[in-house]
Amino acid sequence: MLPVDAAQLNHNPPPKNAKPVTVEKSGRRPHRYWIVCIITRSSRAPPTVRIVHSGHACNVEEERHTERVYTIREGETLELTCLVTGHPRPQIRWTKTAGSVSDRFQDSSVFNETLHISKIQRHQGGRYYCKAENGLGSPAIKSIRVDVYYLDDPLVTVHQSVGEAKEQFYYERTVFLRCVANSNPPVRYSWHRGRDVLSQGSDKGVEIYEPFFTQGETKILKLKNLRPQDYANYSCIASVRNVCGISDRNIVFKLTNKTASPSIKLLVEDPIVVNPGQTVSLVCITTGGEPNPTLSWVSSSDSLPEKSVVKGGTLTLPAITSDEAGVYSCVASNNVGNPAKKSTTIVVRALKKGRFWITPDPYHNDDNIQIGREVKISCQVEATPPEELIFGWLKNGRAMRSSERMVITQTDPDISPGTTNLDIIDLKFTDFGTYTCVAALKGGGIPEISIDVNISSTTVPPNLTVPRGKSPLVVREGDTVELECLVSGKPKPIILWSRADKEAPMPDGSLQAESYDGVLRIVNVSREMTGSYRCQTSQFNGFNVKPREAVVELIVQYPPSVEPVLLEMRQGLGRPVVMNCRVLRAHPSRVLRYEWRLGNRLLHAGHFDQSDETEYTVKSLNREGWGEYTCDVNNEAGAGRCTFLVTGKAYPPEFYYDTYSPLWQNRPTVYGFKLQWTQMNPNAVDRIVAYRLGIRQTGLQRWWEQEIPVDGTITKGELNTHNLTELIKPAAYEVRLTPITRFGEGDSTIRIITYSAPVNPHLREFHCSFEEEPICMFTQDKNDDFDWTRHSAATRDTKYTPNTGPSDDRSGSKQGFYMYIETSRPRKEGEVARLVSPFFNVVPKNPYGIANPPAYCFSFFFHMYGKHIGTLNAFLRQKGQTAAEGPAWSLSGNQGDRWKQAKVSIHPTASFQVVLEGIRGPGIEGDIAIDDVTLEEGECRDLPPITSASLVIKPPLWMLP
């Protein structure tokens, strides 16, 4: 369907179903639009996809016709846009490399989704995939490889070898200078001594080679048997041959007879033992090395503490803590030989976690303490450093010494370190009392730890029970619950909790939890915590006997989980509606009751028997039946709810994206738009009787609306078309489309119409007047001398060259834009500027190839006014062919102060571009301008007359892009 303009309407009245829409423009008179609705055959189509690029590409090329490679400089912006066709609108997903989840950038249904990476880094290079799918056929997938180019500063390292000593002098001294730089593409190296270039064979004392294990990534300069002239400044220059504009990098190393690897000394002890809170300073000094080495500090924990201070070779750790203990190393480097490294260990004193346990006479299998038998008291602490740990024992507050009946052992090799034992042999009544274990560190400064243990006739082993009514425990999901085990005995040991029925962690994530009062508290209990929990006595702080244990059962009740939680059901009047609510899980699962309601009105209630679902049917939907239906399923823990929204609302339309930029040209000052859509599930509700079309200019508040009647029934896949004309360039418009049924308005769909030239349009529709900054996707040739310039007569400054160039664009507007070559200084005679069109596809009518190449008419308007006018050429670039001939069109010299049209027929057999080339003449009054470039199918007709100037029409030029 072509656009309908005012002239056409004067001769051909609009169809009966078309109504005018009046749209007000800011500062202009209202415009009238004729909206024409056309319903055609099914338009559903599987997706196709291609990738276009913008941003800061260095180069985009095809490799072996199977892979596109996009090269970009590190730190620039990458933009890849996925262009799709197909209907319904395909969903687009970007992935990288193998499409792993970690590499996925976005997963959305936004059309023309652009992958944008600002300040791209080297690790972000790789293969990027764009996948489009709409449920029809196979998904469409295209990929592009992104190569990130970079060059780091080179680094020179020096290694020396000295031969054996003979007669008090060295037989040979050889120096190796190795140059390395990270780069992409691979770097090339060159060496200079002072200003002289060094190359293999240029000097008998110099050898340049690549080690076989580096695969060309480094260059080594070998200076054999050093001579006086070898002591000099050496420069390594790293180059990637200026790709992506990356300039060469170089580094200078001064080789002298004093050049030596670094050596250092630590002015500290090893290890350093300190108390927490002290300030520790580590001092490192250099004792040798030329050039002067650089000192740095590293820690065994990979990073220095945040509060640490490094000043020169001194590392200061203020108010040190136990977490900051470890190995600290001073590293000296001057790129000569291997770095020097010295380390010391910082130990921070600490005492923590005191425990005790009582062991009755093991030889008689006692579980309690008996007079005349042996009893052992053990005391354990964690100490840093362990060798400074000392113990002392008190009885009733008085110091004890080891004796025949009271044997004190400082360490026990059979148990973990940091343990002391007190063995009481032949226990007597007078031995009852309070025994105190005291732990301290020899260095002092750390508070000591003391543990009291009572030994008496009331000291008895533990007993463990579960209180009455505390198992099983029945709670609701989300509550706070306390599991309890009662422990008796003196002293009371620590209680250890764990899962008894399965290998699962405790609620806090650990496999075992300690409790000093026998209670395990769980906050916000969940259904997964249902099960058996074991409580058992620990040897710590109690008797070292066989553990006592018990089990507590926990049952967590939760309301029924149902589906669907929310479901929208659209249906036409008079049709049945069936709603089904299903129970997925519930505890308890017995005695489940359901209630069906419409709003607050009870429709039906009952109990579940053997089934796990309930159904409610509306036999014939009427207007009173529209609304929110709920089904509540209840148990002791609460209710689960299924919700059904029953409505007659129509589904939204689906705009038809047949091309990347489905705009077509009407007149130079206005443009038209063919709005196309299909209706989503049109048969699901009552017949659509009309569409409400809203349109407003982007940035304005007011919508102008028009109701478009629809005759007949719309079926699935039928294409609806509205032609919008008189849209003002370059304004963008927001269009809203809403279906209407007996229910009322349905769901709306909104899209933005933006004026822009198509990237790869069908040739019958291509027209470019350069009114927008993207200039219809024309690009400047990278291999020419200067660029074409986009200007309008209203903004171009012509005071320096008043006798050349146009005074308005081709339509006569001073605000209109055109392209021209500026020939003022610094331009020189013969310099060239080329403007290259986007690629145009040639689709063969014969599936086996193009037997008779189709003809296209390439036309444009030109303005060549001035006494120094050079030459304007038009070329054809065709993909895959290398034979080169002259221009398809050429004209030279002054043509007067007016716009003229050029036309030439071309016959491409493959994808092609057109190129407009301007050549600067002998002076500054030589500006050449072009405007309104078009391509049309068929041979050119009504050719303009040949001018008196030199006009040459030659065969097409075939060449690679």
Side-chain angles (χ1 to χ4, degrees):
M1 174 59 67
L2 296 176
V4 181
D5 61 19
Q8 291 173 320
L9 292 176
N10 290 334
H11 296 89
N12 300 298
K16 295 180 180 180
N17 64 342
K19 291 190 176 182
V21 180
T22 301
V23 180
E24 290 186 356
K25 306 295 181 200
S26 176
R28 302 174 184 262
R29 61 182 178 83
H31 285 258
R32 175 160 296 225
Y33 296 85
W34 287 99
I35 312 300
V36 181
C37 177
I38 300 174
I39 299 178
T40 61
R41 61 182 177 83
S42 175
S43 60
R44 300 174 69 83
T48 64
V49 61
R50 65 191 183 94
I51 297 175
V52 298
H53 58 84
S54 58
H56 299 80
C58 302
N59 188 28
V60 180
E61 60 183 14
E62 310 282 338
E63 284 193 356
R64 300 180 300 278
H65 306 287
T66 60
E67 180 180 43
R68 300 180 71 202
V69 181
Y70 181 108
T71 52
I72 185 172
R73 183 172 177 172
E74 187 173 45
E76 300 287 2
T77 298
L78 172 71
E79 281 193 358
L80 299 175
T81 302
C82 200
L83 306 185
V84 300
T85 65
H87 192 73
R89 181 178 62 192
Q91 290 188 350
I92 299 173
R93 186 180 69 189
W94 279 102
T95 56
K96 180 187 172 190
T97 312
S100 64
V101 175
S102 62
D103 278 332
R104 183 170 298 176
F105 293 94
Q106 43 204 345
D107 189 355
S108 66
S109 57
V110 179
F111 183 66
N112 287 351
E113 190 64 50
T114 297
L115 174 65
H116 180 96
I117 303 177
S118 59
K119 296 183 179 179
I120 191 168
Q121 300 300 306
R122 61 194 66 179
H123 68 273
Q124 293 173 304
R127 187 184 301 277
Y128 289 83
Y129 291 85
C130 174
K131 180 180 180 182
E133 53 187 336
N134 65 354
L136 299 177
S138 301
I141 302 175
K142 289 291 183 182
S143 69
I144 187 170
R145 196 181 84 214
V146 176
D147 231 352
V148 181
Y149 281 178
Y150 59 91
L151 174 60
D152 292 342
D153 289 329
L155 174 67
V156 170
T157 56
V158 181
H159 294 270
Q160 303 183 70
S161 65
V162 179
E164 60 179 293
K166 291 184 177 181
E167 299 179 7
Q168 298 182 349
F169 67 88
Y170 289 114
Y171 178 73
E172 182 185 64
R173 187 181 183 194
T174 300
V175 172
F176 299 87
L177 277 72
R178 183 184 183 209
C179 188
V180 179
N182 296 319
S183 73
N184 182 32
V187 69
R188 290 181 182 175
Y189 301 95
S190 58
W191 283 99
H192 292 71
R193 177 195 285 142
R195 297 183 178 180
D196 298 331
V197 178
L198 296 178
S199 59
Q200 183 68 21
S202 63
D203 187 328
K204 292 183 179 180
V206 174
E207 182 179 343
I208 301 175
Y209 65 95
E210 296 178 354
F212 71 95
F213 56 85
T214 63
Q215 298 181 352
E217 295 176 0
T218 184
K219 268 280 170 59
I220 289 183
L221 177 65
K222 181 180 179 182
L223 305 176
K224 300 178 291 184
N225 197 10
L226 281 180
R227 305 160 300 177
Q229 62 264 35
D230 292 329
Y231 295 115
N233 288 336
Y234 291 86
S235 300
C236 172
I237 301 176
S239 173
V240 289
R241 300 156 300 286
N242 204 37
V243 296
C244 277
I246 300 176
S247 58
D248 295 349
R249 307 284 181 89
N250 86 312
I251 188 172
V252 178
F253 185 87
K254 183 177 181 180
L255 181 65
T256 70
N257 58 1
K258 296 181 180 179
T259 299
S261 57
S263 59
I264 56 175
K265 182 179 181 181
L266 278 183
L267 304 182
V268 293
E269 298 178 352
D270 184 31
I272 303 173
V273 182
V274 297
N275 291 329
Q278 285 185 334
T279 295
V280 180
S281 292
L282 307 179
V283 180
C284 177
I285 61 172
T286 59
T287 57
E290 174 69 29
N292 193 33
T294 300
L295 298 178
S296 61
W297 285 91
V298 295
S299 168
S300 56
S301 60
D302 296 331
S303 60
L304 296 175
E306 290 185 5
K307 60 184 179 181
S308 62
V309 178
V310 178
K311 187 175 182 180
T314 302
L315 170 66
T316 303
L317 303 174
I320 197 167
T321 64
S322 297
D323 296 335
E324 295 168 352
V327 178
Y328 290 81
S329 303
C330 174
V331 180
S333 176
N334 64 353
N335 295 331
V336 179
N338 297 319
K341 183 178 181 180
K342 295 286 185 179
S343 303
T344 186
T345 302
I346 298 179
V347 179
V348 180
R349 291 188 178 93
L351 278 177
K352 54 186 177 180
K353 211 168 196 177
R355 297 182 182 274
F356 74 91
W357 59 92
I358 303 169
T359 306
D361 191 340
Y363 300 103
H364 296 81
N365 294 324
D366 285 344
D367 275 355
N368 54 11
I369 296 173
Q370 297 183 23
I371 298 295
R373 299 286 179 87
E374 180 181 343
V375 62
K376 180 167 66 174
I377 306 173
S378 301
C379 175
Q380 183 187 71
V381 296
E382 294 181 8
T384 304
E387 61 271 14
E388 288 190 3
L389 178 63
I390 55 175
F391 287 106
W393 284 92
L394 306 176
K395 178 183 179 184
N396 298 327
R398 299 180 63 181
M400 296 181 62
R401 292 185 178 181
S402 184
S403 63
E404 293 183 357
R405 266 195 345 102
M406 299 286 184
V407 181
I408 298 175
T409 307
Q410 288 289 340
T411 57
D412 190 336
D414 296 331
I415 56 178
S416 57
T419 304
T420 181
N421 297 321
L422 171 62
D423 278 288
I424 304 176
I425 311 299
D426 187 16
L427 181 69
K428 300 183 181 302
F429 182 79
T430 56
D431 294 330
F432 290 155
T434 300
Y435 293 84
T436 303
C437 164
V438 180
L441 293 178
K442 293 178 183 177
I446 303 297
E448 61 185 22
I449 294 178
S450 61
I451 303 169
D452 292 334
V453 183
N454 290 308
I455 301 295
S456 68
S457 58
T458 59
T459 302
V460 294
N463 187 33
L464 197 63
T465 58
V466 178
R468 184 184 299 273
K470 291 294 185 177
S471 182
L473 276 180
V474 180
V475 297
R476 292 189 178 183
E477 193 170 40
D479 290 350
T480 296
V481 62
E482 290 186 347
L483 280 61
E484 186 177 356
C485 283
L486 292 180
V487 59
S488 61
K490 188 177 181 181
K492 288 184 179 181
I494 296 173
I495 301 299
L496 302 178
W497 287 93
S498 60
R499 299 293 292 264
D501 55 342
K502 51 189 172 182
E503 293 292 332
M506 299 293 288
D508 63 357
S510 62
L511 293 177
Q512 201 173 58
E514 292 185 355
S515 170
Y516 288 87
D517 58 0
V519 175
L520 176 65
R521 193 169 188 264
I522 304 175
V523 179
N524 193 20
V525 68
S526 65
R527 62 193 68 180
E528 291 80 12
M529 297 177 188
T530 295
S532 301
Y533 290 79
R534 178 189 297 111
C535 61
Q536 64 181 21
T537 59
S538 165
Q539 69 169 5
F540 303 126
N541 296 13
F543 273 75
N544 183 22
V545 295
K546 183 178 180 181
R548 276 63 165 161
E549 65 178 45
V551 174
V552 177
E553 294 289 338
L554 177 63
I555 299 173
V556 181
Q557 294 183 341
Y558 52 89
S561 296
V562 296
E563 68 173 9
V565 175
L566 178 63
L567 179 64
E568 184 181 51
M569 305 185 72
R570 307 194 187 200
Q571 189 60 277
L573 295 175
R575 301 179 190 175
V577 179
V578 179
M579 292 163 279
N580 185 285
C581 183
R582 185 162 68 96
V583 179
L584 301 177
R585 52 191 173 273
H587 191 84
S589 58
R590 63 186 186 280
V591 195
L592 292 178
R593 175 180 172 81
Y594 62 83
E595 290 183 348
W596 285 93
R597 295 178 180 271
L598 173 57
N600 294 322
R601 179 163 59 94
L602 180 65
L603 302 175
H604 181 59
H607 291 85
F608 284 94
D609 297 324
Q610 301 299 322
S611 175
D612 60 355
E613 61 184 35
T614 173
E615 185 176 280
Y616 185 79
T617 302
V618 178
K619 295 182 179 179
S620 178
L621 185 64
N622 55 28
R623 294 181 181 274
E624 291 74 23
W626 286 326
E628 183 177 281
Y629 292 77
T630 58
C631 176
D632 289 336
V633 181
N634 299 272
N635 68 357
E636 298 174 20
R641 169 171 288 187
C642 295
T643 301
F644 303 87
L645 299 177
V646 178
T647 174
K649 179 187 292 188
Y651 285 96
E654 294 179 315
F655 283 120
Y656 184 64
Y657 292 92
D658 51 351
T659 61
Y660 165 62
S661 185
L663 298 176
W664 39 267
Q665 199 79 15
N666 188 17
R667 295 198 302 276
T669 57
V670 299
Y671 69 100
F673 186 79
K674 184 163 61 175
L675 191 69
Q676 296 177 300
W677 76 95
T678 57
Q679 179 60 46
M680 182 189 295
N681 299 332
N683 300 322
V685 295
D686 292 319
R687 184 179 72 85
I688 295 173
V689 297
Y691 283 95
R692 187 177 305 281
L693 176 71
I695 183 170
R696 68 179 177 186
Q697 191 170 325
T698 302
L700 301 182
Q701 296 295 321
R702 188 173 182 183
W703 286 91
W704 294 95
E705 294 187 332
Q706 173 66 41
E707 189 171 296
I708 309 300
V710 175
D711 296 331
T713 301
I714 296 177
T715 59
K716 188 172 183 179
E718 285 187 302
L719 188 65
N720 301 268
T721 303
H722 283 265
N723 283 338
L724 303 181
T725 63
E726 305 291 326
L727 304 179
I728 300 173
K729 293 180 183 177
Y733 293 86
E734 192 172 1
V735 176
R736 181 177 62 198
L737 199 61
T738 309
I740 301 174
T741 64
R742 286 190 291 175
F743 173 83
E745 293 190 355
D747 290 333
S748 299
T749 299
I750 296 178
R751 71 163 300 170
I752 302 294
I753 297 172
T754 304
Y755 172 71
S756 62
V759 171
N760 193 2
H762 194 282
L763 297 186
R764 287 175 297 181
E765 300 176 355
F766 184 75
H767 177 109
C768 182
S769 57
F770 305 110
E771 296 301 318
E772 272 196 333
E773 184 61 38
I775 59 173
C776 314
M777 304 306 289
F778 273 85
T779 56
Q780 308 281 355
D781 193 340
K782 295 181 180 179
N783 298 317
D784 57 7
D785 301 311
F786 65 108
D787 288 343
W788 287 79
T789 305
R790 175 177 173 267
H791 259 310
S792 68
T795 59
R796 183 183 171 211
D797 187 358
T798 59
K799 65 181 180 179
Y800 296 110
T801 53
N803 298 316
T804 186
S807 57
D808 48 35
D809 75 347
R810 202 278 303 179
S811 66
S813 170
K814 290 190 179 297
Q815 282 73 36
F817 285 87
Y818 54 85
M819 302 295 292
Y820 83 106
I821 60 170
E822 173 61 67
T823 57
S824 300
R825 292 181 179 86
R827 301 278 71 85
K828 298 178 182 179
E829 183 176 2
E831 289 188 336
V832 174
R834 298 188 190 95
L835 195 64
V836 184
S837 77
F839 268 105
F840 298 97
N841 292 328
V842 176
V843 181
K845 297 179 181 179
N846 184 339
Y848 300 101
I850 299 179
N852 298 314
Y856 298 97
C857 182
F858 171 44
S859 67
F860 57 93
F861 283 83
F862 61 89
H863 188 284
M864 301 172 67
Y865 169 55
K867 63 182 180 180
H868 300 139
I869 291 294
T871 301
L872 177 61
N873 294 321
F875 293 96
L876 180 72
R877 283 185 177 179
Q878 184 165 231
K879 197 170 186 178
Q881 297 192 7
T882 58
E885 298 184 15
W889 183 95
S890 181
L891 185 62
S892 301
N894 185 1
Q895 304 298 314
D897 189 7
R898 60 187 179 276
W899 287 93
K900 296 181 179 181
Q901 188 178 26
K903 289 186 178 182
V904 61
S905 295
I906 57 177
H907 305 82
T909 59
S911 298
F912 66 95
Q913 296 170 289
V914 291
V915 181
L916 290 163
E917 178 186 75
I919 303 177
R920 201 257 196 188
I924 63 174
E925 296 181 21
D927 296 349
I928 299 174
I930 58 171
D931 202 359
D932 288 345
V933 179
T934 61
L935 271 168
E936 298 177 346
E937 287 187 328
E939 297 281 354
C940 291
R941 299 179 181 179
D942 302 325
L943 293 174
I946 302 297
T947 66
S948 58
S950 172
L951 172 63
V952 181
I953 299 179
K954 298 183 179 181
L957 171 69
W958 316 105
M959 54 182 153
L960 285 173

